[in-house]
Amino acid sequence: MTDAFSFRLIATDGVARRGEFATPHGAVQTPAFMPVGTQATVKGLTPETVRGTGTEILLGNTYHLMLRPGAERIAALGGLHKFMNWPRPILTDSGGFQVMSLSELRTLDEKKGVCNQEVDWDEDGRVGEVTLMSADANNNGAIDPGELVTVSFVPGAPPRLTVRS
């Protein structure tokens, strides 16, 4: 196991490539299939069963992790790897899909994307907020600082799709 992240190209075939991505929690052969642990679990499977399939990396959904159980609880319980009972690499997404798809629940500007929580209300009945991504607060890092492979989200205008024939 290494304490650094690195990528090694193993082979190419045209534009396809095969490599190995090293992380502090082990190596991942690329391309890779990543089962999704939406709320820190792959539904219907124990961590041992998932490991038994040969899975090298899991995908954690930042939006759902920030809603429940929340970064503070995950940190208090020893970080995401310990919380999930998953010793191998974990990739957390940016929350960008929810920021864009839950437009009725979010505010978006050039600095951050904020979603109203769908599940928690305060004592006055107001819906809480979760800042998914900003230049100041990377919630992927808040979940398990320095230990995760993270996908960053740069807020801004929705992407434009150009179709060429």
Side-chain angles (χ1 to χ4, degrees), residues 21-107:
F21 183 57
T23 79
H25 288 275
V28 178
Q29 302 301 308
T30 65
F33 173 75
M34 288 183 269
V36 178
T38 300
Q39 288 179 315
T41 185
V42 176
K43 303 298 186 249
L45 299 175
T46 65
E48 294 78 18
T49 301
V50 176
R51 280 192 293 274
T53 68
T55 296
E56 296 177 318
I57 186 169
L58 291 181
L59 175 76
N61 185 294
T62 297
Y63 175 74
H64 293 287
L65 290 170
M66 293 304 291
L67 287 178
R68 288 185 297 218
E72 296 82 15
R73 182 166 291 143
I74 291 170
L77 295 170
L80 190 57
H81 285 89
K82 186 172 180 184
F83 184 76
M84 291 178 71
N85 190 25
W86 184 256
R88 296 177 181 170
I90 300 171
L91 179 139
T92 55
D93 68 348
S94 67
F97 175 80
Q98 285 82 10
V99 167
M100 301 314 289
S101 68
L102 299 174
S103 59
E104 71 281 357
L105 295 174
R106 61 107 162 117
T107 57

Side-chain angles (χ1 to χ4, degrees), residues 1 9 13 22 29 46 48 56 61 74 83 91 103 111 114 125 127 134 138 147 153-154 161 163:
M1 205 175 297
L9 185 61
D13 184 3
Q29 302 301 308
T46 65
E48 294 78 18
E56 296 177 318
N61 185 294
I74 291 170
F83 184 76
L91 179 139
S103 59
K111 293 189 177 190
V114 177
V127 176
S134 74
N138 180 331
E147 294 292 321
F153 172 61
V154 179
L161 177 63
V163 178

